Amino acid sequence: MDFTIPHLCCVLISLIAGVAHGLEITSQGPTSIEKASSESVKLDCQFSLAPVDSGPLDIEWSLLASDNQKEDKVVILYSGDRAYEDYYPAVKGRAHFNSPDPKNGDASINLTGLKSSDTGTYQCKVKKAPGIRSRKMLLTVMVRPSKPRCSTEGPTQEGKDVVLRCTSSEGTNPLQYTWEKTSDSKILPASAVLDPVGGTMNVRNASISSSGTYRCTAKNRVGMEECILQLGITPPPNTAGIIAGAIIAVLLALIIIAIVLFCCCRARHRKKYEKEISYEIREDVPPPKSRVSTARSFTSVGSQRSSLGSMSPSNLHEYALKPQYDKIPSVEEYERPPSHTPLPPPVASKIAGRNLSRMGGIPVMIPAQNKDGSIV
């Protein structure tokens, strides 16, 4: 058989075309998938074989590294009619082939319990010599918004600016926030300014009609959550009444303090006055009488009586005319102040000592007294 060069070229081209059109990936689904965390996803990879593909079948799923300097991670493998599902610890127990026998043309896998760390580009590679085909898919695992927290900032008074805030602590961006009024006319205040990214609604110059029930919804491409806020706008307080009440309260407090101070000062002065009076009374009390001097005076008087008893009866009438010096003073006379003590008659004071001796009398010592009446 005569083989010319053109004939050989045609044979080679036909062989190459046959090899190229042997193994094929037939999946036509989307190559970019977005899923929420905790959900499941099917990464589709359908293939078809040709008679020329006679080698052993190998299926490999890998997570491609985002950095060229890093190594790709094998997620799951099928080789030698056996599945190996525990290659990658991060998805261990969560990655499975969709078909119990992938060699029938279904190399798809299922990932369950998705996490945000599962985000990445996955590659399905099917090899059956001499054919090799692959398919890449981008999986984005998004975290749905957590239940937002609704709150207000600023005074909720008429005429003031009130800010309604809505925030989700979790959720994959971009997050969008929307506000709506669910009570009364269900129309937002005309002065409300919305921020869909920050989640705030600023109600300027709030009025009583702004009161009501509001709902905030936080959402992204994989889910949404909402919260309810009850807004009540109150009239402005009576500033004049508050000021007047404060002034009255201050005045009452000052009056009470003044009364307390007055009572304390008065009690102190009264105590001081009573103490001074007691001191004055003590100064006016005379000192106690001297018992020794009194006894001595009584002894002298007794001696005088004994001397007078020896006088003759002829001298008694003369003695009767003389002052009674031998009279024992009474207690009242001793206690009487000097100013009230009666003075002896002037006649008796003029009798000389010699005349008294001539008459048979005996001089008697009269005890002296001080100003307060005590005997010296």
Side-chain angles (χ1 to χ4, degrees):
M1 187 175 184
D2 188 10
F3 290 98
T4 61
I5 293 176
H7 181 71
L8 292 175
C9 290
C10 291
V11 172
L12 292 174
I13 291 173
S14 62
L15 291 174
I16 294 173
V19 173
H21 290 84
L23 175 62
E24 293 292 341
I25 300 295
T26 60
S27 296
Q28 300 296 325
T31 58
S32 180
I33 302 174
E34 291 181 350
K35 286 289 183 178
S37 59
S38 73
E39 291 185 349
S40 300
V41 64
K42 178 183 177 181
L43 302 180
D44 190 49
C45 184
Q46 305 288 335
F47 65 94
S48 62
L49 298 175
V52 295
D53 300 320
S54 57
L57 178 65
D58 291 329
I59 302 172
E60 179 183 284
W61 278 92
S62 59
L63 178 61
L64 302 182
S66 57
D67 188 351
N68 294 330
Q69 303 297 326
K70 296 182 180 180
E71 185 179 357
D72 299 339
K73 303 296 183 181
V74 177
V75 176
I76 192 171
L77 181 66
Y78 180 86
S79 179
D81 297 334
R82 181 182 175 183
Y84 301 90
E85 299 180 347
D86 297 334
Y87 262 81
Y88 188 36
V91 296
K92 184 177 181 179
R94 299 190 294 118
H96 309 281
F97 279 102
N98 185 61
S99 173
D101 192 3
K103 65 183 179 181
N104 292 329
D106 185 8
S108 305
I109 62 172
N110 296 317
L111 288 177
T112 61
L114 291 176
K115 302 177 182 179
S116 58
S117 58
D118 295 336
T119 298
T121 301
Y122 291 82
Q123 178 179 257
C124 171
K125 183 183 293 185
V126 180
K127 296 185 292 182
K128 189 171 178 64
I132 299 176
R133 289 290 183 270
S134 63
R135 184 172 189 256
K136 295 180 182 179
M137 284 176 288
L138 175 62
L139 173 64
T140 303
V141 180
M142 303 184 68
V143 178
R144 62 185 302 128
S146 61
K147 187 175 181 60
R149 178 178 177 271
C150 292
S151 60
T152 59
E153 295 180 1
T156 56
Q157 297 177 0
E158 186 177 9
K160 301 291 185 178
D161 293 347
V162 183
V163 178
L164 279 63
R165 185 172 296 279
C166 179
T167 306
S168 288
S169 58
E170 296 180 357
T172 303
N173 291 324
L175 285 174
Q176 294 290 325
Y177 296 93
T178 58
W179 282 95
E180 57 182 330
K181 191 175 183 181
T182 60
S183 62
D184 301 332
S185 61
K186 298 184 179 181
I187 299 176
L188 293 177
S191 61
V193 179
L194 300 176
D195 182 3
V197 177
T200 61
M201 181 175 69
N202 188 1
V203 183
R204 298 178 178 175
N205 193 19
S207 61
I208 299 297
S209 61
S210 301
S211 301
T213 304
Y214 291 82
R215 177 171 60 199
C216 171
T217 303
K219 62 182 178 180
N220 57 11
R221 290 193 293 268
V222 293
M224 64 176 61
E225 288 290 343
E226 61 185 29
C227 62
I228 303 297
L229 175 66
Q230 188 68 34
L231 177 63
I233 303 298
T234 58
N238 187 2
T239 307
I242 294 175
I243 295 175
I247 293 175
I248 293 174
V250 171
L251 291 177
L252 289 176
L254 292 176
I255 291 173
I256 292 173
I257 293 173
I259 292 174
V260 173
L261 292 177
F262 174 77
C263 293
C264 293
C265 292
R266 185 173 181 181
R268 180 179 295 179
H269 286 302
R270 180 180 297 174
K271 188 175 181 180
K272 184 177 180 181
Y273 176 75
E274 291 177 354
K275 187 180 292 186
E276 292 177 354
I277 292 298
S278 63
Y279 287 158
E280 292 178 1
I281 292 174
R282 290 179 182 178
E283 291 176 357
D284 293 339
V285 174
K289 305 296 184 299
S290 176
R291 297 183 180 270
V292 177
S293 301
T294 306
R296 185 181 302 164
S297 63
F298 278 113
T299 304
S300 301
V301 172
S303 61
Q304 292 177 15
R305 285 187 177 181
S306 59
S307 301
L308 292 176
S310 62
M311 293 176 63
S312 61
S314 58
N315 297 330
L316 291 176
H317 68 281
E318 295 179 1
Y319 179 75
L321 296 175
K322 295 183 291 182
Q324 302 296 324
Y325 291 101
D326 58 346
K327 184 179 179 181
I328 300 174
S330 63
V331 178
E332 290 80 2
E333 290 176 317
Y334 275 110
E335 292 180 354
R336 186 181 304 161
S339 60
H340 298 284
T341 302
L343 298 175
V347 177
S349 60
K350 294 180 180 180
I351 299 176
R354 61 177 176 272
N355 294 331
L356 183 60
S357 300
R358 188 183 307 138
M359 290 186 293
I362 300 173
V364 179
M365 181 182 294
I366 302 299
Q369 296 180 352
N370 56 14
K371 293 182 179 181
D372 58 357
S374 59
I375 299 173
V376 179

